[in-house]
Amino acid sequence: MNRRISVLAVSFIAAIVMLSMVRIHPTAASADAEVVAFVGAKIYTSPTDPPISNGTVVIRGEKIAAVGKTGTLPIPPDAKQIDCKGAVITAAFQNSHVHFAEQKWIDAATQPAEKLTTQLSDIFTRYGFTTVVDTGSLLPNTVAIRNRIASGEVTGPRILTAGVPLYPPDGIPYYLSDLPPEIRKILPQPTTPATAIAAVDDDLAGGADIIKLFTGSWIARGKVKPMPVDVATAAAEEAHKHGKLVFTHPSNVAGLEVALAAHVDVLAHSIEDMRGWNNSYLSRMKAANMTLIPTLKLFSSDDDLPGILDEVGSYQRMGGQILFGTDVGYLPDYDPSNEYSLMSRAGLTPMQILASLTTAPADRFNESASRGRVAAGMPADLVVLSADPATNATNFAKVRHTVRSGRIVYSASAN
């Protein structure tokens, strides 16, 4: 098993007009909002719908105004046209497992806006990510980044954050042993349901969007300590009471058992320690509507990798929900190409990988009506790829443009 330094140790520190394949929907954008047309691309409107082979997307302001066949779809005369011949357009991506835990994010509230924008581009927007889920970091610092993006001062993705995870009693992972004592003291290790509820409430009061548990924590090499079931259950129930999803780092089957008993929503990693594993656990996960984030790149050098790949592929084949995530921010290599490749090795098709990036996270976060597809009326969050991922899943990383809220926030030609 490949053990690793924790992310926290890194820094812890509406009329519809249909003409052929044309879809037009009135938006709330003002009449004088900027109009942009992306012309001539192959468009995957969703992972399950047939692609438009030579299509155009018209954006007015922050919304998609129309999607249809080039030459059939009327393009407003005032539209700025962007030639996308040979390119592919999809809905923008979500990376569901990241960390704002590198030294570069320290003092995010006061860093120059240009510096933060560049860093966010290098890690996220240049790879098509317009929503990211931070599963463990210093909450005030990450909230500061989120707020500066939301204000428009900094350009970057929408950020959802867990803040500080909850650990088992005396269960801080051994790979956090080098943390300063003052930092270790703020890591919650609830011993009772009441203290678990209090820790969840602290995170939520600080601005957390999700709650992260370590239902299985590596306290020594080869040894996982599970979180007590009553503690995990109390934490999950409190989060659910506030309408928040609960993520967990399970580590092994004991940690998964706790997660299942506590009704956790999302496994932030595959089960990495395959001792005692069998595929009956996948059936139980599916019955519990549990979502899996594989983070396969993290385990790419593990002896257990073949079993982990089978775990992920089997869950996909039985209809389990999978979200894309890379653990970037712990992993220093920002390029997600290897994750796409490993997901393919696990047996996921390119369109299943696209679902893990778009429609599946929208569904898991109860936002299917407002994002995840290329459709008239949806927010203008798009990715323009320079090559078709249907031929090779690593082409998902070949981003020509990233569009967030109708604005191009990354262009390969400008870098």
Side-chain angles (χ1 to χ4, degrees):
M1 292 171 289
N2 180 28
R3 294 277 52 82
R4 57 197 190 281
I5 298 173
S6 164
V7 294
L8 297 175
V10 178
S11 74
F12 199 85
I13 285 240
I16 296 176
V17 180
M18 297 190 68
L19 298 172
S20 180
M21 298 179 72
V22 179
R23 279 151 271 180
I24 304 176
H25 183 89
T27 73
S30 62
D32 59 352
E34 183 180 20
V35 182
V36 181
F38 295 84
V39 181
K42 181 177 183 179
I43 304 172
Y44 291 102
T45 58
S46 85
T48 55
D49 291 326
I52 301 173
S53 59
N54 177 16
T56 291
V57 180
V58 177
I59 292 171
R60 182 179 293 276
E62 297 184 355
K63 296 284 188 178
I64 297 174
V67 183
K69 194 80 172 176
T70 301
T72 302
L73 179 72
I75 298 176
D78 60 337
K80 174 185 176 181
Q81 296 194 30
I82 297 176
D83 184 4
C84 294
K85 184 178 180 181
V88 170
I89 294 177
T90 75
F93 302 156
Q94 175 170 312
N95 191 329
S96 297
H97 191 139
V98 311
H99 292 279
F100 287 91
E102 296 174 278
Q103 290 285 347
K104 65 173 65 178
W105 305 115
I106 292 296
D107 296 325
T110 59
Q111 286 194 36
E114 184 177 356
K115 179 176 182 289
L116 284 178
T117 293
T118 298
Q119 292 173 180
L120 290 160
S121 176
D122 290 345
I123 303 174
F124 301 124
T125 53
R126 70 154 296 162
Y127 294 112
F129 300 115
T130 62
T131 298
V132 299
V133 183
D134 164 63
T135 64
S137 64
L138 282 173
L139 187 54
N141 204 61
T142 304
V143 168
I145 302 170
R146 183 178 70 190
N147 289 345
R148 293 182 72 181
I149 294 170
S151 74
E153 179 195 7
V154 169
T155 298
R158 173 192 182 206
I159 297 172
L160 306 173
T161 182
V164 182
L166 280 64
Y167 299 89
D170 298 317
I172 297 176
Y174 75 89
Y175 43 80
L176 287 180
S177 60
D178 59 344
L179 281 177
E182 62 270 20
I183 296 296
R184 291 176 66 89
K185 286 180 181 178
I186 69 172
L187 304 184
Q189 302 168 74
T191 58
T192 65
T195 53
I197 290 169
V200 169
D201 289 344
D202 283 346
D203 269 340
L204 297 180
D209 305 284
I210 63 171
I211 294 298
K212 167 78 174 294
L213 310 178
F214 274 69
T215 54
S217 180
W218 291 97
I219 59 171
R221 291 185 181 277
K223 184 177 182 180
V224 174
K225 183 172 188 177
M227 181 175 280
V229 172
D230 61 342
V231 170
T233 300
E237 288 180 348
E238 182 69 4
H240 290 155
K241 185 174 76 174
H242 292 274
K244 305 299 184 182
L245 293 173
V246 181
F247 284 50
T248 188
H249 188 138
S251 300
N252 68 355
V253 294
L256 175 59
E257 288 283 9
V258 175
L260 287 164
H263 302 291
V264 167
D265 304 295
V266 180
L267 298 185
H269 297 283
S270 303
I271 303 303
E272 56 188 290
D273 179 356
M274 303 302 291
R275 290 175 295 184
W277 172 265
N278 64 72
N279 280 4
S280 68
Y281 287 105
L282 297 176
S283 298
R284 295 172 60 191
M285 288 163 53
K286 178 67 166 56
N289 193 32
M290 187 173 279
T291 298
L292 173 63
I293 305 174
T295 64
L296 293 171
K297 184 176 179 178
L298 186 65
F299 311 124
S300 59
S301 62
D302 284 22
D303 292 339
D304 284 339
L305 179 61
I308 298 170
L309 292 173
D310 180 71
E311 170 193 341
V312 173
S314 295
Y315 200 48
Q316 176 69 62
R317 286 188 290 273
M318 69 170 53
Q321 186 177 69
I322 292 178
L323 305 187
F324 183 87
T326 58
D327 213 357
V328 68
Y330 159 67
L331 292 178
D333 179 8
Y334 302 150
D335 188 342
S337 298
N338 196 29
E339 188 71 26
Y340 294 130
S341 179
L342 288 165
M343 292 177 81
S344 293
R345 283 181 57 188
L348 276 71
T349 68
M351 291 302 101
Q352 288 169 339
I353 295 173
L354 179 60
S356 78
L357 290 158
T358 58
T359 52
D363 175 71
R364 179 76 272 190
F365 283 83
N366 197 30
E367 295 176 338
S368 292
S370 60
R371 67 183 179 101
R373 295 175 293 117
V374 184
M378 284 284 184
D381 289 2
L382 304 170
V383 177
V384 181
L385 303 172
S386 61
D388 193 346
T391 62
N392 188 321
T394 61
N395 288 337
F396 280 117
K398 296 178 180 178
V399 174
R400 183 182 297 182
H401 303 292
T402 301
V403 183
R404 185 182 179 210
S405 298
R407 186 164 67 94
I408 296 175
V409 296
Y410 170 80
S411 285
S413 59
N415 290 270

mmCIF file of all heavy atoms in Angstrom, residues 35 48 83 93 109 111 180 231 288 291 302 310 321 390:
data_model
loop_
_atom_site.group_PDB
_atom_site.id
_atom_site.type_symbol
_atom_site.label_atom_id
_atom_site.label_comp_id
_atom_site.label_asym_id
_atom_site.label_seq_id
_atom_site.Cartn_x
_atom_site.Cartn_y
_atom_site.Cartn_z
ATOM 1 N N VAL A 35 -23.023 38.804 -26.831
ATOM 2 C CA VAL A 35 -23.428 37.576 -27.512
ATOM 3 C C VAL A 35 -22.192 36.959 -28.156
ATOM 4 O O VAL A 35 -21.448 37.628 -28.882
ATOM 5 C CB VAL A 35 -24.502 37.849 -28.582
ATOM 6 C CG1 VAL A 35 -24.941 36.535 -29.235
ATOM 7 C CG2 VAL A 35 -25.693 38.564 -27.972
ATOM 8 N N THR A 48 -25.427 11.195 -22.647
ATOM 9 C CA THR A 48 -26.353 10.176 -23.144
ATOM 10 C C THR A 48 -27.067 10.571 -24.424
ATOM 11 O O THR A 48 -27.696 9.723 -25.066
ATOM 12 C CB THR A 48 -27.405 9.842 -22.067
ATOM 13 O OG1 THR A 48 -28.062 11.049 -21.648
ATOM 14 C CG2 THR A 48 -26.743 9.190 -20.855
ATOM 15 N N ASP A 83 -14.400 30.416 -34.106
ATOM 16 C CA ASP A 83 -14.301 29.245 -34.966
ATOM 17 C C ASP A 83 -13.873 28.031 -34.149
ATOM 18 O O ASP A 83 -12.798 28.015 -33.563
ATOM 19 C CB ASP A 83 -13.298 29.516 -36.083
ATOM 20 C CG ASP A 83 -13.198 28.376 -37.092
ATOM 21 O OD1 ASP A 83 -13.970 27.398 -36.971
ATOM 22 O OD2 ASP A 83 -12.344 28.456 -37.993
ATOM 23 N N PHE A 93 -16.528 21.107 -16.500
ATOM 24 C CA PHE A 93 -16.240 19.965 -15.642
ATOM 25 C C PHE A 93 -16.264 20.327 -14.160
ATOM 26 O O PHE A 93 -16.008 21.475 -13.777
ATOM 27 C CB PHE A 93 -14.844 19.406 -15.963
ATOM 28 C CG PHE A 93 -14.642 18.974 -17.388
ATOM 29 C CD1 PHE A 93 -13.353 18.928 -17.925
ATOM 30 C CD2 PHE A 93 -15.708 18.611 -18.204
ATOM 31 C CE1 PHE A 93 -13.135 18.530 -19.227
ATOM 32 C CE2 PHE A 93 -15.502 18.207 -19.515
ATOM 33 C CZ PHE A 93 -14.212 18.172 -20.024
ATOM 34 N N ALA A 109 -6.401 35.755 1.572
ATOM 35 C CA ALA A 109 -7.202 36.980 1.671
ATOM 36 C C ALA A 109 -6.429 38.209 1.230
ATOM 37 O O ALA A 109 -7.024 39.205 0.798
ATOM 38 C CB ALA A 109 -7.714 37.160 3.095
ATOM 39 N N GLN A 111 -3.324 37.992 -0.757
ATOM 40 C CA GLN A 111 -2.464 37.802 -1.921
ATOM 41 C C GLN A 111 -2.954 38.647 -3.098
ATOM 42 O O GLN A 111 -4.151 38.897 -3.238
ATOM 43 C CB GLN A 111 -2.442 36.326 -2.342
ATOM 44 C CG GLN A 111 -1.638 35.413 -1.444
ATOM 45 C CD GLN A 111 -1.393 34.070 -2.111
ATOM 46 O OE1 GLN A 111 -1.207 33.993 -3.323
ATOM 47 N NE2 GLN A 111 -1.377 33.006 -1.322
ATOM 48 N N PRO A 180 2.804 20.939 13.286
ATOM 49 C CA PRO A 180 3.057 21.656 14.540
ATOM 50 C C PRO A 180 1.954 21.367 15.552
ATOM 51 O O PRO A 180 0.790 21.167 15.181
ATOM 52 C CB PRO A 180 3.047 23.125 14.111
ATOM 53 C CG PRO A 180 3.281 23.123 12.646
ATOM 54 C CD PRO A 180 2.689 21.850 12.133
ATOM 55 N N VAL A 231 -20.356 8.034 16.598
ATOM 56 C CA VAL A 231 -19.761 9.345 16.313
ATOM 57 C C VAL A 231 -19.982 9.707 14.841
ATOM 58 O O VAL A 231 -20.413 10.822 14.517
ATOM 59 C CB VAL A 231 -18.260 9.340 16.672
ATOM 60 C CG1 VAL A 231 -17.579 10.609 16.162
ATOM 61 C CG2 VAL A 231 -18.072 9.203 18.182
ATOM 62 N N ALA A 288 -27.227 1.730 -0.902
ATOM 63 C CA ALA A 288 -27.204 2.920 -0.044
ATOM 64 C C ALA A 288 -27.092 4.214 -0.840
ATOM 65 O O ALA A 288 -26.973 5.285 -0.235
ATOM 66 C CB ALA A 288 -26.037 2.823 0.940
ATOM 67 N N THR A 291 -21.991 7.366 -3.548
ATOM 68 C CA THR A 291 -21.208 7.795 -4.706
ATOM 69 C C THR A 291 -19.733 7.519 -4.457
ATOM 70 O O THR A 291 -19.250 7.626 -3.325
ATOM 71 C CB THR A 291 -21.426 9.299 -4.943
ATOM 72 O OG1 THR A 291 -22.808 9.522 -5.227
ATOM 73 C CG2 THR A 291 -20.585 9.821 -6.090
ATOM 74 N N ASP A 302 0.455 1.528 -6.425
ATOM 75 C CA ASP A 302 0.127 0.542 -5.392
ATOM 76 C C ASP A 302 0.134 -0.874 -5.962
ATOM 77 O O ASP A 302 -0.270 -1.100 -7.109
ATOM 78 C CB ASP A 302 -1.257 0.810 -4.810
ATOM 79 C CG ASP A 302 -1.277 1.982 -3.852
ATOM 80 O OD1 ASP A 302 -0.368 2.829 -3.937
ATOM 81 O OD2 ASP A 302 -2.207 2.055 -3.025
ATOM 82 N N ASP A 310 -10.585 -2.876 -10.677
ATOM 83 C CA ASP A 310 -11.749 -3.758 -10.777
ATOM 84 C C ASP A 310 -12.897 -3.245 -9.908
ATOM 85 O O ASP A 310 -14.069 -3.310 -10.305
ATOM 86 C CB ASP A 310 -11.375 -5.184 -10.371
ATOM 87 C CG ASP A 310 -12.559 -6.133 -10.473
ATOM 88 O OD1 ASP A 310 -12.965 -6.440 -11.615
ATOM 89 O OD2 ASP A 310 -13.093 -6.549 -9.413
ATOM 90 N N GLN A 321 -22.924 5.346 -8.932
ATOM 91 C CA GLN A 321 -22.574 6.694 -9.380
ATOM 92 C C GLN A 321 -21.107 6.989 -9.095
ATOM 93 O O GLN A 321 -20.620 6.779 -7.988
ATOM 94 C CB GLN A 321 -23.439 7.733 -8.665
ATOM 95 C CG GLN A 321 -23.237 9.147 -9.195
ATOM 96 C CD GLN A 321 -24.164 10.136 -8.519
ATOM 97 O OE1 GLN A 321 -24.018 10.427 -7.340
ATOM 98 N NE2 GLN A 321 -25.128 10.649 -9.279
ATOM 99 N N ALA A 390 -13.937 10.903 -27.355
ATOM 100 C CA ALA A 390 -14.496 9.608 -27.742
ATOM 101 C C ALA A 390 -13.442 8.691 -28.330
ATOM 102 O O ALA A 390 -13.579 7.462 -28.289
ATOM 103 C CB ALA A 390 -15.632 9.807 -28.745
#
